């Protein structure tokens, strides 16, 4: 039954893709001159930016043109690994290169809006790392700039393209879960507070702590799997139990929080969201807890006809999915084993298709903005101690 469902789904997906391509070609939306040339890309930021380079390097229709970053040693190392011909320190120098068509922006969160808007103005298509922005005002300005300059703006919500998440998506679309009325999404770490003094723990540079850093991924997976319901109300709380004491850094490392290295964000957030579909979502994100988690994320979906648990322990890909049904009145658990697929490649393949030949923009900047709106409402709810209507 499951094999039939997968085969049917693949056929359906191909048909939809073929149909969309025909429509685009007829309406002249496909940019035929560009599609015969390689897409020249630049990557700004050499941390997670290395994952972007690894994915671009696998695509024959892409030519990697440049990498920018302030950390010279890392930039040099990453550029050597991916044979990047040109490096810059300042992102503005990379954006000034006229024949770079598209950029990945992999910078601290405070730079997402200004650098994205500068890149769009310079005529580049943009793939921005998550979260879209620190707040809703910045996010809206980014979408407006993409519309004004007629360029692609997509967001690297990469985990939705993991093989297991895609399998669950197809299973839901087959109708196997019926109506999903409750979901739980979490990313919980036992000990993984980023370095004190780094931008990650600075409220102004990051926009928040684990909720905007990790929670955005599982919020995205949950909303994507549930078919993008809109949030109606949010009630959330945040805590900072360990960060201000310098406890629970990576691998249990202790740090010293002081005036020069302050800890300004939460280390745990929990939220309860009412959705316009009538369903509810429980959201949890932490960098540090006394709890069973290592560095674990997942989404559990409860439907009228079945349930699914996706649980990824320590970034593994094995044994991550369980499916629950009653078969002939007997509770039955299934353990499907989807292929291991890494998410950044999935996002970057789609970004390149969108920028190169006018393929669909998914994950869209609008998805990214909805995630930021909900996260901002969580922070507001926590600060004001009350439920917030969106
Ligand atoms: N999708 C994911 O799984 C994932 C994972 C990690 C980080 N991220 C996101 O990626 C972004 C970057 O995170 P990171 O972990 O790589 O951070 P990082 O601090 O490790 O790296 C940031 C990079 O930006 C460069 N940079 C900073 N200011 C610059 C400037 N003015 N001009 C040019 N370069 C500049 C730094 O030199 C560095 O190379 C963040 O938004 C983060 O949320 C996403």
């Amino acid at each position: 039954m499951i094999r039939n469902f997968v085969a049917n789904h693949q056929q359906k997906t191909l048909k939809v893709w073929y149909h969309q391509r025909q429509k685009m070609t007829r309406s002249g939306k496909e940019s035929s001159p560009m599609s015969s040339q390689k897409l020249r890309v630049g990557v700004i930021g050499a941390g997670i930016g290395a994952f972007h380079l690894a994915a671009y390097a696998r695509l024959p229709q892409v030519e990697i043109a440049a990498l920018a970053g302030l950390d010279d040693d890392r930039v040099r190392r990453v550029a050597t690994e991916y044979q990047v011909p040109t490096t810059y320190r300042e992102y503005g120098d990379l954006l000034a290169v006229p024949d770079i068509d598209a950029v990945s922006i992999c910078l601290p969160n405070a730079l997402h809006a200004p650098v994205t808007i500068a890149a769009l103005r310079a005529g580049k298509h943009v793939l921005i790392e998550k979260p879209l922005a620190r707040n809703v005002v910045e996010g809206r300005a980014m979408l407006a700039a993409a519309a004004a300059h007629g360029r692609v703006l997509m967001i690297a919500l990469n985990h939705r393209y993991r093989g297991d998440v895609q399998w669950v998506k197809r299973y839901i679309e087959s109708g196997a879960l019926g109506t999903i009325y409750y979901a739980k999404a979490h990313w919980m770490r036992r000990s993984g507070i980023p370095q004190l003094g780094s931008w990650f723990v600075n409220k102004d540079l990051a926009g928040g702590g684990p909720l905007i850093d990790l929670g955005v991924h599982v919020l995205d997976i949950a909303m994507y799997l549930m078919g993008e319901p809109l949030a109606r109300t949010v009630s959330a709380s945040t805590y900072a139990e360990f960060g201000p004491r310098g406890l629970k850094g990576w691998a249990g490392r202790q740090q010293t929080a002081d005036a020069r290295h302050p800890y300004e964000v939460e280390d745990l957030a929990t939220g309860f969201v009412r959705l316009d579909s009538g369903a509810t979502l429980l959201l949890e994100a932490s960098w540090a807890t006394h709890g069973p988690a290592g560095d674990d994320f997942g989404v559990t979906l409860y439907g009228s006809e079945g349930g699914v648990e996706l649980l990824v322990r320590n970034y593994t890909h094995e044994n991550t999915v369980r499916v629950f049904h009653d078969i002939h009145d007997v509770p039955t658990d299934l353990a499907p084993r989807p292929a291991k697929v890494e998410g950044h490649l999935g996002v970057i393949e789609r970004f390149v298709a969108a920028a190169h030949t006018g393929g669909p923009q998914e994950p869209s900047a609008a998805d990214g903005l909805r995630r930021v709106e909900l996260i901002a409402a969580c922070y507001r709810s926590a600060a004001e101690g009350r439920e917030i209507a969106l």
Side-chain angles (χ1 to χ4, degrees):
M1 182 183 102
I2 289 176
R3 201 180 307 141
N4 284 347
F5 141 70
V6 172
N8 287 342
H9 179 80
Q10 280 171 343
Q11 274 180 15
K12 218 167 84 187
T13 309
L14 277 174
K15 272 187 203 156
V16 169
W17 173 251
Y18 179 69
H19 186 65
Q20 280 172 342
R21 301 265 308 171
Q22 275 189 323
K23 259 172 54 187
M24 275 189 292
T25 309
R26 276 199 301 271
S27 66
K29 272 191 189 155
E30 186 163 12
S31 49
S32 43
M34 172 67 81
S35 56
S36 62
Q37 296 165 5
K38 289 198 174 199
L39 185 79
R40 283 174 50 83
V41 301
V43 172
I44 305 176
I48 196 68
F51 280 66
H52 289 237
L53 287 168
Y56 286 127
R58 293 178 61 172
L59 303 179
Q61 67 275 42
V62 169
E63 182 182 337
I64 297 173
L67 170 66
L70 301 178
D71 37 358
D72 298 330
D73 287 348
R74 186 158 64 161
V75 167
R76 207 172 304 118
R77 204 173 53 242
V78 171
T80 304
E81 183 170 358
Y82 296 103
Q83 297 171 12
V84 183
T86 311
T87 60
Y88 301 96
R89 292 201 93 242
E90 294 298 328
Y91 65 82
D93 293 337
L94 187 151
L95 294 181
V97 179
D99 63 352
I100 290 182
D101 307 304
V103 291
S104 276
I105 297 179
C106 309
L107 293 171
N109 299 350
L111 290 171
H112 285 197
V115 180
T116 294
I117 292 167
L120 293 164
R121 273 200 195 121
K124 318 298 184 202
H125 301 293
V126 174
L127 177 62
I128 181 72
E129 259 300 342
K130 49 56 62 172
L132 180 73
R134 291 175 300 179
N135 56 53
V136 176
V137 172
E138 287 183 341
R140 287 191 185 139
M142 293 161 80
L143 266 70
H149 297 285
R151 289 292 179 269
V152 170
L153 175 59
M154 288 173 54
I155 178 162
L157 287 162
N158 47 303
H159 290 300
R160 75 158 76 166
Y161 295 115
R162 287 175 55 100
D164 42 20
V165 175
Q166 285 298 306
W167 187 88
V168 173
K169 178 73 174 161
R170 295 195 294 271
Y171 194 58
I172 291 168
E173 285 175 351
S174 77
L177 299 194
T179 304
I180 298 169
Y181 56 91
Y182 180 49
K184 293 199 283 188
H186 74 276
W187 192 319
M188 297 292 274
R189 255 182 212 163
R190 185 155 187 171
S191 194
I193 293 186
Q195 199 178 344
L196 297 184
S198 74
W199 66 266
F200 279 99
V201 298
N202 176 303
K203 176 82 178 150
D204 188 46
L205 294 180
L211 179 60
I212 199 165
D213 181 42
L214 304 176
V216 68
H217 280 300
V218 288
L219 173 62
D220 180 67
I221 296 173
M223 294 304 218
Y224 171 67
L225 292 177
M226 285 195 285
E228 295 295 336
L230 294 177
R232 286 269 178 253
T233 61
V234 170
S235 190
S237 290
T238 57
Y239 303 87
E241 291 295 329
F242 304 104
R245 290 190 280 155
L247 301 176
K248 285 186 174 285
W250 279 107
R253 199 161 55 87
Q254 296 207 13
Q255 313 178 70
T256 307
D258 55 31
R260 283 181 51 238
H261 303 100
Y263 186 85
E264 299 179 349
V265 295
E266 82 280 4
D267 54 31
L268 183 143
T270 176
F272 179 74
V273 186
R274 291 180 199 279
L275 302 163
D276 66 350
S277 59
T280 49
L281 168 68
L282 194 62
L283 180 63
E284 286 179 327
S286 87
W287 280 335
T289 47
H290 287 309
D295 192 346
D296 304 343
F297 68 89
V299 170
T300 311
L301 301 165
Y302 298 86
S304 56
E305 310 306 317
V308 168
E309 180 190 65
L310 174 85
L311 177 55
V312 177
R313 290 191 177 90
N314 301 311
Y315 299 94
T316 50
H317 285 261
E318 291 75 37
N319 303 317
T320 54
V321 184
R322 284 200 300 160
V323 174
F324 308 100
H325 292 284
D326 282 356
I327 299 182
H328 295 302
D329 299 327
V330 173
T332 306
D333 301 2
L334 305 169
R337 281 179 286 177
K340 174 181 172 180
V341 179
E342 196 276 317
H344 265 108
L345 181 61
V347 170
I348 281 169
E349 279 174 337
R350 285 168 175 79
F351 174 61
V352 167
H356 205 218
T357 53
Q361 295 187 35
E362 186 197 287
S364 68
D367 292 345
L369 181 58
R370 279 196 302 283
R371 309 298 177 250
V372 171
E373 283 168 346
L374 205 153
I375 287 167
C378 285
Y379 283 132
R380 199 172 143 213
S381 168
E384 297 180 10
R386 65 183 181 90
E387 188 174 69
I388 301 293
L390 279 106

